[in-house]
Amino acid sequence: MRIGKCAVTVSVVIAMLLGGCAMETKEQAQARLGGGTGKTGEAAAAPQSEAGKLTAVQFYVPSEKENNLSVIDIPTGKVVGTVKLSEAPSTVVFASTMREAYVANMNSSTVSVINTQTLKVEKEIPVGPMPHGMVLSPDNKTLYVAAVADQFVYLVDTKERKEAGTIDLGTGAKTNYMSLFGEKLYISDHENNKVYVVNVKTKATVLTIPTGKTPRAVKVSDDGKKLFVPTAGEGALEVYNTDTGKLETKIAVAAGATDVVIADDGKSAIVTSMEGNAATFVDLAAAKATETITGLPGARHIAYNRQQTKAYVTLSGSDEVAVIDIATRKPAERIKVGATPHGIQIKALPGIGGSC
């Protein structure tokens, strides 16, 4: 009898956890958020507590000029919450529990720690000048922060919530965006046209990869064998061998290549181009661009939804997030957010909201 009760309890808990967007229609989600059937992108009438629901699948978008962060509910496409931040917030990362978010504030040289349930800033951590790109260690203990205005990567102890050391890349180096795979940290230097590869245990640079002009966001393949580097000055997506640092492929995309997302199967990618106001679909196997979507003002950063059926692009030139339908390769809608949106990151617990 006890076993039966336990089984029922477990079933109820699982059903509750899965009661996010995986089991609700768009209309049900709108009703849940109290947003009615208003236009996409209008602020919902839902309280902040609902926006902070742990199982909600959302995008967080920092807005540089408005000094805030917009919370987008994925099923409805509505902004359901905002968080006031310090000066010029740029990028955001989440702890694996999705209970904390970290936002780099460029002009205040700090990192904000956000409680994602209350949507409140719990701590502001001083780091180096103009913090920009960030990555979090898999154990959630160390946040690596690139500071655009100097040669260091700053290490933040997330438990103590304070700076806990630096990685020195050498005189004249500039840090921008980062990607972490295993013990290797990849850091782009947009001024010196390089990517530094650092062993995070020894804090030593183990490889320096010369790139094309103005490398921006960097991504590593799931198997760790390839490094993808959009180079703004080349209007290209460059692909490097991570063991040797040698260029394997250079694929022409729109001018001002900025960020890239790689499909789970490793066969395709999408590259945003801030100066080119575009997003380019790339066939990685054939090493060529297949289609370019134009008319995306200041297309900056990009993120997939969970099922990779849509891509979300921050438009710094129009204060919006563009939603691109992957099947049709066309913009499906636009969501109004704060002024000059910069980064974008998905908040989604593993196994929750799988259809979003």
Side-chain angles (χ1 to χ4, degrees):
M1 193 71 178
R2 262 181 211 171
I3 293 174
K5 285 183 179 179
C6 288
V8 170
T9 302
V10 170
S11 298
V12 170
V13 170
I14 291 173
M16 289 174 66
L17 285 173
L18 292 176
C21 41
M23 299 180 66
E24 67 181 355
T25 65
K26 184 170 183 177
E27 289 71 24
Q28 288 170 330
Q30 287 174 329
R32 167 175 59 82
L33 293 168
T37 56
K39 294 180 181 179
T40 296
E42 289 180 351
Q48 290 280 74
S49 58
E50 185 68 26
K53 187 177 180 181
L54 186 61
T55 54
V57 184
Q58 302 164 332
F59 278 113
Y60 276 28
V61 181
S63 300
E64 277 185 47
K65 289 188 178 179
E66 214 160 277
N67 299 330
N68 70 14
L69 179 142
S70 299
V71 180
I72 298 173
D73 181 71
I74 292 179
T76 63
K78 287 180 174 291
V79 174
V80 295
T82 57
V83 181
K84 190 66 180 176
L85 296 170
S86 290
E87 295 180 47
S90 57
T91 58
V92 57
V93 297
F94 289 99
S96 61
T97 61
M98 301 298 155
R99 293 180 182 275
E100 294 87 28
Y102 302 89
V103 181
N105 303 301
M106 293 187 293
N107 290 355
S108 58
S109 298
T110 60
V111 172
S112 295
V113 183
I114 299 171
N115 181 315
T116 62
Q117 289 79 68
T118 63
L119 297 187
K120 302 291 185 183
V121 175
E122 293 186 336
K123 178 80 172 182
E124 197 156 335
I125 305 168
V127 289
M130 296 193 71
H132 195 205
M134 299 185 296
V135 292
L136 188 62
S137 62
D139 62 8
N140 296 317
K141 292 181 179 180
T142 304
L143 179 69
Y144 299 91
V145 184
V148 176
D150 71 13
Q151 68 198 52
F152 300 99
V153 172
Y154 291 81
L155 280 58
V156 171
D157 182 321
T158 58
K159 183 179 180 180
E160 298 296 328
R161 294 184 172 180
K162 65 180 182 180
E163 185 195 317
T166 60
I167 297 172
D168 188 352
L169 298 176
T171 302
K174 298 293 181 184
T175 63
N176 196 0
Y177 290 101
M178 296 185 292
S179 187
L180 179 64
F181 187 90
E183 295 180 359
K184 292 182 178 179
L185 182 65
Y186 298 82
I187 309 136
S188 65
D189 183 334
H190 60 294
E191 290 191 14
N192 296 298
N193 305 324
K194 297 175 182 178
V195 170
Y196 305 101
V197 185
V198 172
N199 182 302
V200 293
K201 285 191 173 181
T202 65
K203 298 183 182 179
T205 300
V206 295
L207 183 65
T208 300
I209 302 174
T211 68
K213 296 176 183 177
T214 321
R216 285 179 170 165
V218 291
K219 301 289 173 64
V220 179
S221 62
D222 287 344
D223 60 9
K225 294 181 178 179
K226 296 182 185 297
L227 175 69
F228 299 90
V229 183
T231 48
E234 306 287 335
L237 175 64
E238 300 179 357
V239 185
Y240 293 86
N241 182 299
T242 54
D243 286 332
T244 64
K246 291 185 177 179
L247 178 66
E248 292 187 345
T249 312
K250 185 174 181 178
I251 304 165
V253 295
T258 304
D259 196 5
V260 59
V261 286
I262 313 299
D264 285 341
D265 61 12
K267 295 180 181 179
S268 63
I270 307 173
V271 181
T272 56
S273 297
M274 188 165 63
E275 289 83 3
N277 305 316
T280 303
F281 284 80
V282 174
D283 183 329
L284 293 173
K288 67 177 183 179
T290 57
E291 192 166 352
T292 298
I293 299 172
T294 57
L296 302 175
R300 208 163 197 167
H301 290 287
I302 183 169
Y304 280 125
N305 65 345
R306 288 287 289 272
Q307 291 297 306
Q308 299 192 350
T309 55
K310 295 179 181 178
Y312 292 68
V313 180
T314 55
L315 306 181
S316 57
S318 65
D319 307 336
E320 297 170 307
V321 171
V323 185
I324 297 173
D325 185 280
I326 302 302
T328 63
R329 298 192 173 188
K330 292 180 179 180
E333 58 184 324
R334 290 192 182 186
I335 303 167
K336 195 72 175 178
V337 290
T340 316
H342 196 129
I344 183 167
Q345 193 77 7
I346 192 170
K347 178 179 83 69
L349 283 168
I352 302 296
S355 64
C356 292

